[in-house]
Amino acid sequence: MLYYISEFPRRNSLKEILSITTIVGFTLLVSQFFSTRMNRKLVKDIRMVNVLKIHKIVGYVFISILLLHPFFIIVPKFFDNTVTPTDAFYRLITTFSSAGVILGLIAYTSMVILIITSFCRFKLNLSYRIWRSLHGYFTLLFIVTATWHVINIGRHSNTSFSIYYLLIVVSGIFYLLKTYFFKTSKNEKINK
């Protein structure tokens, strides 16, 4: 809705579809904060096993879409005469003059680590508690740097989108930290 009510200059259909796909992918990935075991109401209503299924499906599908994000920038270059796709890709991975690009590379790297550690969780031979902590830390790194990247250089980062993303990210991080700290203090009281 924000995309359609905003007054972005419209481009060809391919670029518009790629933009919308990226926006939906990022939004649904950020919503992952709310489809975890931390959401006690959801767990109570549909059971933990179903919450995990939803979390995994949404995570794998939309992280895969965001893995393609750099190529969404390059693919349209096949159809216009501005820059060759090879030059666009080379520029994309070697331009460090913009904070937005550096943040994007950090977000992309943390996202790759997230998906690898999620797929290979059992092969990594880590306890669930350690894996979950790593998953949480890399998620926070990804979400913070990706949001900053979007706000800094995103083509569709007007004030409305920036506020929307910041509200979701801040509430998700708050929800995560509240759950972790509340659980820690609760466990400390039990241990005393």
Side-chain angles (χ1 to χ4, degrees), residues 25 28-29 32 52-68 111-122 131 135:
L28 286 171
L29 215 54
Q32 287 288 76
L52 278 176
K53 280 181 190 174
I54 293 167
H55 186 81
K56 284 180 181 180
I57 291 168
V58 170
Y60 289 149
V61 168
F62 291 101
I63 213 164
S64 298
I65 289 171
L66 290 184
L67 282 171
L68 296 172
M111 183 174 57
V112 168
I113 292 169
L114 264 173
I115 201 160
I116 289 170
T117 56
S118 293
F119 272 124
C120 303
R121 181 179 133 200
F122 297 107
W131 175 83
H135 191 73

Side-chain angles (χ1 to χ4, degrees), residues 14-153:
L14 174 63
K15 289 180 181 179
E16 291 297 308
I17 289 168
L18 294 176
S19 291
I20 292 169
T21 303
T22 303
I23 291 167
V24 170
F26 185 67
T27 300
L28 286 171
L29 215 54
V30 172
S31 75
Q32 287 288 76
F33 279 118
F34 307 101
S35 65
T36 65
R37 65 183 180 82
M38 295 181 302
N39 190 335
R40 289 189 171 95
K41 177 160 176 33
L42 189 63
V43 169
K44 184 180 176 186
D45 289 348
I46 66 169
R47 295 183 38 225
M48 183 62 191
V49 69
N50 294 324
V51 171
L52 278 176
K53 280 181 190 174
I54 293 167
H55 186 81
K56 284 180 181 180
I57 291 168
V58 170
Y60 289 149
V61 168
F62 291 101
I63 213 164
S64 298
I65 289 171
L66 290 184
L67 282 171
L68 296 172
H69 172 62
F71 302 101
F72 289 171
I73 297 168
I74 295 165
V75 167
K77 303 299 179 198
F78 284 103
F79 306 105
D80 62 26
N81 295 327
T82 55
V83 179
T84 67
T86 307
D87 289 341
F89 181 73
Y90 181 74
R91 244 188 249 173
L92 185 70
I93 62 170
T94 61
T95 303
F96 302 111
S97 59
S98 164
V101 172
I102 293 168
L103 290 164
L105 291 171
I106 293 168
Y108 196 83
T109 303
S110 60
M111 183 174 57
V112 168
I113 292 169
L114 264 173
I115 201 160
I116 289 170
T117 56
S118 293
F119 272 124
C120 303
R121 181 179 133 200
F122 297 107
K123 292 179 184 176
L124 292 173
N125 204 18
L126 298 172
S127 71
Y128 175 73
R129 175 178 257 164
I130 291 172
W131 175 83
R132 192 183 79 209
S133 295
L134 286 174
H135 191 73
Y137 295 138
F138 278 109
T139 298
L140 286 174
L141 178 63
F142 165 70
I143 290 298
V144 169
T145 55
T147 303
W148 194 354
H149 164 77
V150 167
I151 291 170
N152 186 273
I153 64 171

